[in-house]
Amino acid sequence: MKSMYVRASAGALCAALLAGCGGSDNGSLVLQVTVHTLTKPGLVLKSGSQTVSVGPSAAVSQYVTFPNLIEEDSTIDVQIQTQPTAAKCDVVAKTIGLKANYYTARQVEVTCKTFSYKLGGTVSGLTADGLILNNGAVQKVVPAGSTSFTFDTEVDDGANYGITVLQNPTGQVCSVANNAGTMPSGPVNNIVVTCTKA
């Protein structure tokens, strides 16, 4: 008789401990999400009634875990509750609606893309070919007679830019004003290139 009470008490204690470890849920699986290329703050992910905030990372991918465990064979439903600032994130389609098991509960992926904008300005006095402008590793050839230019590669919101003359046109020297700054949430078109006779 005594051993029956001991077993019952031990069972109750184990149940209480398990409940404490798992929070308020009754699941047994950790729900982990891989977030790719998030460089902006503000992302909030949602799964059922629980949420998790994700900050920017210098790494290409980062791993985030929801606070509560989920039940095996439940449907995994991770959603974007709040988009990050100046970026857009999406749950990878193939990871939506998976049935939860030890492996699938760790396979949800979210990809993010920072908004990017055009970078350019005006050109005056350019009468010859050969002008090449440079922004980091990106170059722009500006033909003779041009009165404006725009780099073909857009610049991410919040990224630094710095325009220099990589090559002057034949018989001319060009200078660049308003050439450096931080990309705002919109295009930049106030860079001024002025060319004169060498």
Side-chain angles (χ1 to χ4, degrees), residues 87-134:
K88 186 178 186 301
C89 299
D90 295 290
V91 180
V92 175
K94 68 179 181 179
T95 66
I96 296 174
L98 295 173
K99 289 296 183 182
N101 59 44
Y102 177 79
Y103 299 101
T104 58
R106 297 171 182 269
Q107 290 181 353
V108 179
E109 295 182 76
V110 171
T111 58
C112 301
K113 180 173 175 54
T114 301
F115 295 154
S116 58
Y117 306 97
K118 293 185 180 299
L119 177 65
T122 59
V123 182
S124 63
L126 181 60
T127 58
D129 287 326
L131 173 61
I132 301 176
L133 300 177
N134 188 68

Side-chain angles (χ1 to χ4, degrees), residues 19 150 156 187:
T150 302
D156 286 350

